[in-house]
Amino acid sequence: GVFLYNHLQQKVRNAEALAQKYKQQQEALSAQLQVVYEHRSRLERSLQKERGEHKKTKEDFLVYKLEAQEALNKEKQDSMNRYGALSSQHKILKNQHDDVKKQLLDLQLQHNSLKLEHRKSLETHSQKFAQLQQEKDSEVTNLQDTVLKLREESKLLRKAHQEVHSQLLNAQAQMEEFRQLKEALQKMPGLR
């Protein structure tokens, strides 16, 4: 009975020791499990926070994407409007360029025509001037001959005038003598 009691007592002590060991292991596992739970809780909170931030980031990105798309569409529309305006202006300038080019061609043709007319007119004027110069030289020669003839005639007329003047003086002298003779005759009583 003593042996059995001791044997049972030993088993109880072993069992208590094993139970104590298991209890310590359980407490250690509980502590580790608590640490794991706390770590999991922190991870869940962090994950929730990350999810919130990810959701906000996604929403911000969608807003940014929408705004960027709207800005891109507006820029595209503005670019198309500017392109349309520039295209219209280009067409207007091209038409103006064509008009100016045509006007320039017309002016060049007019210039060439006027240049030809000017050349012809200059040749005609040169010929007329040469003819007039020749006629003038001939007329000057004729006038010089006429002047010489008139000078000769003037000399002859002066000479004739002097002769007539001399004859007139002689006649006046004769008339004076005749008058004096007449007066003298009238004064003579016998010839009255």
Side-chain angles (χ1 to χ4, degrees):
V2 173
F3 177 77
L4 181 61
Y5 175 77
N6 290 330
H7 179 69
L8 290 174
Q9 194 72 19
Q10 184 65 34
K11 280 188 174 184
V12 168
R13 283 195 298 270
N14 290 337
E16 288 177 351
L18 186 61
Q20 183 67 28
K21 180 181 179 182
Y22 284 157
K23 184 179 180 182
Q24 290 177 355
Q25 289 180 355
Q26 184 180 1
E27 289 177 354
L29 288 174
S30 296
Q32 292 178 359
L33 186 60
Q34 183 67 29
V35 172
V36 169
Y37 283 154
E38 290 177 357
H39 184 64
R40 179 184 176 186
S41 179
R42 286 196 300 269
L43 287 177
E44 287 179 352
R45 288 194 300 271
S46 177
L47 180 61
Q48 191 68 25
K49 182 179 178 182
E50 288 291 334
R51 285 178 179 174
E53 292 179 355
H54 175 70
K55 183 178 180 181
K56 185 176 183 303
T57 302
K58 187 176 181 180
E59 291 175 354
D60 293 342
F61 175 74
L62 290 176
V63 172
Y64 170 77
K65 183 179 179 181
L66 182 62
E67 292 177 351
Q69 187 67 34
E70 291 178 353
L72 182 62
N73 292 334
K74 184 176 182 300
E75 183 67 24
K76 185 177 180 181
Q77 186 64 34
D78 293 341
S79 298
M80 292 297 294
N81 293 335
R82 286 197 298 270
Y83 175 76
L86 290 175
S87 180
S88 300
Q89 187 176 4
H90 174 71
K91 289 181 180 178
I92 294 172
L93 291 176
K94 187 175 184 299
N95 292 332
Q96 291 179 355
H97 173 73
D98 293 339
D99 293 339
V100 171
K101 189 175 180 180
K102 185 176 180 299
Q103 292 177 4
L104 177 63
L105 183 60
D106 294 339
L107 289 175
Q108 286 177 348
L109 293 176
Q110 292 180 7
H111 173 71
N112 293 332
S113 178
L114 290 174
K115 189 176 180 181
L116 182 61
E117 290 180 4
H118 175 70
R119 185 182 301 169
K120 291 181 179 179
S121 177
L122 185 61
E123 292 176 355
T124 303
H125 288 166
S126 298
Q127 293 175 357
K128 287 184 179 180
F129 179 77
Q131 183 180 356
L132 289 175
Q133 187 68 33
Q134 186 177 359
E135 292 177 357
K136 180 182 176 183
D137 293 340
S138 177
E139 186 178 354
V140 167
T141 302
N142 293 332
L143 287 175
Q144 288 177 349
D145 294 339
T146 303
V147 167
L148 291 175
K149 290 179 181 179
L150 289 175
R151 284 179 181 175
E152 292 295 330
E153 290 179 1
S154 178
K155 288 180 182 179
L156 294 175
L157 287 174
R158 263 204 297 307
K159 185 176 181 182
H161 180 266
Q162 289 177 356
E163 292 178 355
V164 169
H165 185 65
S166 298
Q167 292 177 2
L168 181 59
L169 290 177
N170 291 332
Q172 287 178 352
Q174 290 178 1
M175 288 291 293
E176 184 65 24
E177 291 178 358
F178 178 75
R179 186 181 61 77
Q180 292 177 359
L181 178 59
K182 182 180 179 181
E183 289 179 356
L185 289 176
Q186 287 178 354
K187 289 179 180 180
M188 294 178 65
L191 296 176
R192 181 172 298 178

